[in-house]
Amino acid sequence: MTTSNPLIQSDPISYISTYPAQTMNLNVSKLSSARSTRPSIPTPSFSLTCFIFLFAVFSDIQPAQAFSFQLPQIRMPWDNNSAGASTSSYPFAASKGAAPKSPIQPNDKVVVFGATGGIGQLVTKKLSNARSDKNYKLTVVAREASRARELLEDNESGGKLNVVELNLVGEDKAGDEELMEAMSGATGIVISVGTTAFPTKRWSGGNTPQAIDQEAVSRIAKLASSMNQNKNSLRRMVLLTSVGVERTKEMPFLFLNLCGVLDAKRAGEDAVKAAAAEGNFSYSIVRPGRLVGGPYTNLDLANLFQIEGGAENGVTVAPGDDLLGDCKRDACAEAVVQCLENEACVDLEFSIVSNEETALTVEEWAEVFGRMKR
């Protein structure tokens, strides 16, 4: 249940012959963002608008369900709106006074799936050590609790980690109740799981891309959504996948996807986005390039040659799946944490690669997220 980017877990020979583009140098601004195109929306006539308004008032059917175009949602005076609630049109009241989809706050519970993987380790340590003043209540879900404690618990963490031993795949995979208990009360969830792109020993026990990247991720997202409709505590979910999920007909991703790893990751992304819409929490899809830099948890070229990927943690971020290049694990982990903590990161999916510039500040991350939302 460790972090796995399929770009770096295929056979090294296949990697060299099919993925030379990974080493290319990208001259892209770190604040770059691709333009988004929006389909034109037909404007209804005045009489039709009046009819839709009356139809919405005197029936239980929303106008958007009855017609092919989307109208702006209008909050009526008689709509429920508790004191202090956000003016945004969210269907559920926020827990503990925090608005739905808002960032995690000090003392909040955060659950990390795949915490023994390279990025999972760094995310956990950033939340527990680098941000110790925020006193996050961390729960890490791992296949082997002893290994998770060995990797993650140190003098700085002060024993604040709650390690839950659960298997997400195979015959002994955890039941729904066990998963729900682990996630209960969480305001933030990080899903950083995966396996190799091609059959290896890591596929043993049923740990295939379809089982972990699609089925397990989908189950986590759906259970979290169903829980949130009753308790409404979850506000942020971050899923780590890979560049190439939207380019499976292009090389080198066409070869990389021969066993369906990118298809499985894309299905997991879709499940998270659907669950977020139903459960009223924010989703973030982080798609890094080839992962480089420690901790080295995979048998790949970056591990073999100890590729660090540059001295700084500067990153280039763009919406969608447009980038190609290397991504330092530490920089990727910081992006994941920013998705949890930054006010501007709401319902975004983006690709990320490293550059030689300095790391983004919190304000610059907010600017990056803001540009992608436009």
Side-chain angles (χ1 to χ4, degrees), residues 75-275:
R75 183 176 292 279
M76 299 300 179
W78 52 83
D79 287 343
N80 293 328
N81 189 9
S82 57
S86 170
T87 56
S88 301
S89 54
Y90 296 121
F92 304 105
S95 61
K96 299 181 181 180
K101 303 191 177 187
S102 62
I104 61 173
Q105 300 296 325
N107 301 308
D108 277 356
K109 176 180 177 179
V110 181
V111 179
V112 181
F113 289 90
T116 57
I119 294 179
Q121 290 182 46
L122 293 170
V123 168
T124 302
K125 291 180 179 181
K126 284 176 179 290
L127 292 173
S128 61
N129 299 343
R131 291 163 170 81
S132 58
D133 59 318
K134 297 188 177 180
N135 196 34
Y136 292 132
K137 297 175 175 61
L138 293 177
T139 293
V140 298
V141 180
R143 190 164 37 196
E144 299 178 19
S146 59
R147 181 168 181 264
R149 292 190 180 95
E150 180 182 353
L151 289 171
L152 300 172
E153 288 186 347
D154 52 35
N155 294 331
E156 292 182 79
S157 67
K160 292 182 292 185
L161 295 179
N162 174 35
V163 181
V164 177
E165 185 171 284
L166 292 177
N167 198 352
L168 296 176
V169 299
E171 296 180 355
D172 61 339
K173 65 182 177 183
D176 290 353
E177 291 185 1
E178 293 176 285
L179 284 173
M180 293 172 70
E181 182 179 355
M183 294 187 289
S184 179
T187 59
I189 294 177
V190 176
I191 308 175
S192 180
V193 299
T195 188
T196 53
F198 300 100
T200 64
K201 289 183 178 180
R202 291 186 60 184
W203 281 31
S204 61
N207 191 40
T208 64
Q210 288 70 29
I212 188 68
D213 290 310
Q214 179 175 344
E215 296 171 11
V217 170
S218 298
R219 190 156 72 104
I220 292 169
K222 290 176 182 177
L223 290 174
S225 177
S226 65
M227 293 171 62
N228 214 47
Q229 293 180 35
N230 297 323
K231 298 182 179 180
N232 200 39
S233 62
L234 180 62
R235 301 196 296 273
R236 296 277 171 107
M237 177 176 287
V238 186
L239 173 64
L240 188 75
T241 63
S242 169
V243 296
V245 292
E246 295 181 348
R247 293 176 281 175
T248 55
K249 296 186 183 303
E250 304 174 17
M251 290 298 291
F253 307 112
L254 177 64
F255 174 80
L256 189 68
N257 195 44
L258 288 178
C259 293
V261 64
L262 294 178
D263 291 337
K265 287 185 178 294
R266 183 61 186 272
E269 291 183 359
D270 292 341
V272 166
K273 289 188 285 186

